[in-house]
Amino acid sequence: MSQQTYRKPVPTPSPETKRYWEGCKNHELWLPYCRSCERFFFYPRDFCPRCFSWDVEWRRSKGRGKLYSFAIHYRVWHPAWAAEVPYVTALVELDEGVRLYTNLVDVDADPKKIRCDLPVEVVFEDVSEEISLPKFRPLDSRS
Amino acid sequence: MSPAARRSAPAAADLKEKRELFRKVAVVGVDECDEIGIVPHKSVLQLHAEAARNALADAGIDKSEVDAVLTCSAGWASSLQVAEYLGITPSYTDSTAVGGSSFVIHVEHAAAAIAAGICNVALITHGETGHSNRFRQGAGRPGLDPWFPAPQFEAPYHVGGAPTNYALACMRHMHEYGTTHEQLAEIAVATRKWAQLNPKAMMREPLTMEDVLSSRWITYPFHLYDCCLVTDAGGAVVVTSAERARDCRKSPVWVLGSGEATTHQSISQMPDLTQTPARHSGARAFSMAGVRPEEIDVVEVYDSFTYTALVTLEELGFCAKGEGGPFVSGQRTAPGGDLPMNTHGGGLSYTHPGMYGIFLIIEAVRQLRAECGERQVPGAKLALVNGTGGVLSSTGTLILGAD
Ligand SMILES: [Zn+2]
């Protein structure tokens, strides 16, 4: 999709999330990891929201997980999505244990063809010079 | 595991302290504004004012006695705006804004302040023109700081209304527990039957299971009739001390139990999509009141969606976890059913201006005063109110009792 026609909201990286969006730009999913409780967390912050440690680092995700839940939109809530209904919003639970709000793509937006716990993998959509959005597709849809 | 066992037990200190609020305050006045439904010719603040006047008249309390104002639907620093507009200079205000549960939570906050002697007559107001805002210039939600989480991690994927997030939660519940569209439709149909008995309800035409199941998808898994109305409406509630309550126009409705709980803001941070904070706020309220779900005569729970009511019944312990679908089947919550629920017709069929919690309190109080005419639940002595706010993020539970 050309940048001229891309009308959906584009994220503005913050000091805390810059590393995440840099990773996405390179089509890599990097997640914040707490060295104190040894678990990933999301969304990115300077500290771990579980144990409140500031000893955090970035680690690369394998980009795989499962579809925790999904919803299919038949109504145009925002004009930028007008050409896409029906489309699918999803919560993906990554193998690293964190959940991302995202879109399920490369799939028919048909309730009969989508089910919770479906294995998924990350794909990136380049939406601007700086921003690529991580989205997810069913693992078995790889061509 | 039983719902009770899956709840995290409130700390002992919490219960001891809360017990001190038991029966210390009463709801003594309730009412809507003069017109509810589609009211494009009135402002939000007019709705607040009419509701305040009507609820104070219901209580038999003069405005000059009000020393606390609690609200959240009048812009920035809502309680300041409403107090100024009404001509009140209170000693206590609370603009707690956590979505549709706010007004239920305001009752607990008012009760604590009254019990502590900070104030004596608390006025909780709400006015919202969710329907007419669409047509009124300049309305709409203020933009968020782009460095906040939602503009970065949600808005790029979808911008839309509440159905999105509630649909995600409902879908997971359907997956884990086998909850069906038919079971959700049972709630829409039962709630409409109550609305048919309420002259103030917006939707009073008969509604069948077939109507619900053949209505268009809004956001799968929700059909049109799984979703609440979007109306213009206001309401107000007056809460005061036990002592002052004795001299009011009507019998007091006692606050026997209350609880508040919050688990997240955005849906991606919800600890478990199939659980709501009502398990915590409900446990606190039941424990404070010293009653069990089976003792409740009438239930008023937020029904932003059919699913919201279904999962709330589970979380409050009216049935086992995951059994909400079978539990509401056979029109259990309809007039004449075992569990009278949303007896004014709910957000689904009576009114829902955007935030709805205050209307749950109004109906519970009216039921306990036996003022409900055709829809009266005979002999109702104990009512439960559960408000839900955000994206199943915040809940406030009240257990109210008549003498
Ligand atoms: Zn940690």
Side-chain angles (χ1 to χ4, degrees), chain A residues 34-39 41 48-53:
Chain A
C34 173
R35 287 157 51 96
S36 176
C37 62
E38 302 182 321
R39 287 164 73 175
F41 62 91
C48 167
R50 193 178 300 109
C51 72
F52 214 42
S53 164

Side-chain angles (χ1 to χ4, degrees), chain B residues 253-257 286 289 291 295-300 318 340 343 360-361 363-369 380-386 397-402:
Chain B
V253 168
W254 301 104
V255 176
L256 304 179
F286 277 117
V291 300
E295 295 175 73
I296 301 292
D297 299 310
V298 58
V299 176
E300 313 292 353
F318 284 93
T343 50
L360 300 166
I361 308 165
E363 177 66 5
V365 168
R366 286 177 174 158
Q367 286 285 346
L368 294 173
R369 289 169 168 179
K381 290 289 180 203
L382 268 183
L384 179 139
V385 165
N386 190 86
T397 311
L398 294 174
I399 294 171
L400 302 174

Side-chain angles (χ1 to χ4, degrees), chain A residues 73-78 85 87, chain B residues 134 158 216-219:
Chain A
H73 302 277
Y74 292 86
R75 188 181 142 173
V76 179
W77 294 98
H78 183 289
V85 290
Y87 63 97
Chain B
R134 294 171 180 171
H158 173 80
R216 68 178 191 271
W217 297 119
I218 297 296
T219 295

Side-chain angles (χ1 to χ4, degrees), chain B residues 152-390:
Chain B
Q152 290 190 68
F153 299 110
E154 291 193 6
Y157 301 101
H158 173 80
V159 171
T164 309
N165 296 314
Y166 283 77
L168 288 166
C170 182
M171 195 62 238
R172 186 70 199 179
H173 196 279
M174 294 171 103
H175 176 75
E176 286 192 21
Y177 297 111
T179 306
T180 66
H181 296 288
E182 289 74 14
Q183 290 164 344
L184 295 170
E186 290 267 5
I187 291 177
V189 170
T191 307
R192 179 61 63 85
K193 289 177 187 167
W194 286 111
Q196 291 182 277
L197 304 176
N198 181 4
K200 291 186 179 178
M202 178 183 256
M203 305 296 280
R204 304 188 67 204
E205 298 297 311
L207 183 74
T208 66
M209 291 287 288
E210 181 54 30
D211 292 335
V212 179
L213 295 171
S214 64
S215 65
R216 68 178 191 271
W217 297 119
I218 297 296
T219 295
Y220 186 88
F222 293 144
H223 287 97
L224 173 66
Y225 290 110
D226 286 307
C227 305
C228 66
L229 306 171
V230 181
T231 66
D232 306 321
V237 166
V238 182
V239 180
T240 191
S241 61
E243 190 183 10
R244 179 66 185 85
R246 284 190 201 101
D247 299 320
C248 287
R249 202 161 73 81
K250 293 177 178 171
S251 303
V253 168
W254 301 104
V255 176
L256 304 179
S258 64
E260 167 183 348
T262 301
T263 51
H264 60 283
Q265 152 82 312
S266 23
I267 194 79
S268 65
Q269 305 296 309
M270 191 167 175
D272 181 324
L273 272 191
T274 68
Q275 298 180 0
T276 86
R279 63 179 46 214
H280 307 300
S281 61
R284 286 169 195 144
F286 277 117
S287 147
M288 175 175 157
V291 300
R292 300 183 308 278
E294 55 270 29
E295 295 175 73
I296 301 292
D297 299 310
V298 58
V299 176
E300 313 292 353
V301 297
Y302 206 121
D303 57 347
S304 43
F305 301 91
T306 48
Y307 171 71
T308 315
L310 184 146
V311 71
T312 299
L313 290 175
E314 293 177 0
E315 294 294 304
L316 292 171
F318 284 93
C319 60
K321 186 63 205 169
E323 291 178 15
F327 183 75
V328 300
S329 294
Q331 293 294 287
R332 184 190 290 254
T333 66
D338 291 346
L339 187 71
M341 178 176 85
N342 298 342
T343 50
H344 48 358
L348 292 170
S349 286
Y350 149 70
T351 206
H352 185 285
M355 293 187 287
Y356 162 75
I358 202 146
F359 302 102
L360 300 166
I361 308 165
I362 292 171
E363 177 66 5
V365 168
R366 286 177 174 158
Q367 286 285 346
L368 294 173
R369 289 169 168 179
E371 294 178 334
C372 288
E374 269 195 285
R375 67 179 193 279
Q376 180 64 44
V377 174
K381 290 289 180 203
L382 268 183
L384 179 139
V385 165
N386 190 86
T388 302

Side-chain angles (χ1 to χ4, degrees), chain B residues 71-97:
Chain B
T71 186
C72 69
S73 47
W76 179 81
S78 282
S79 59
L80 306 190
Q81 179 63 76
V82 169
E84 175 196 275
Y85 186 74
L86 297 179
I88 297 169
T89 51
S91 56
Y92 182 86
T93 76
D94 184 335
S95 301
T96 297

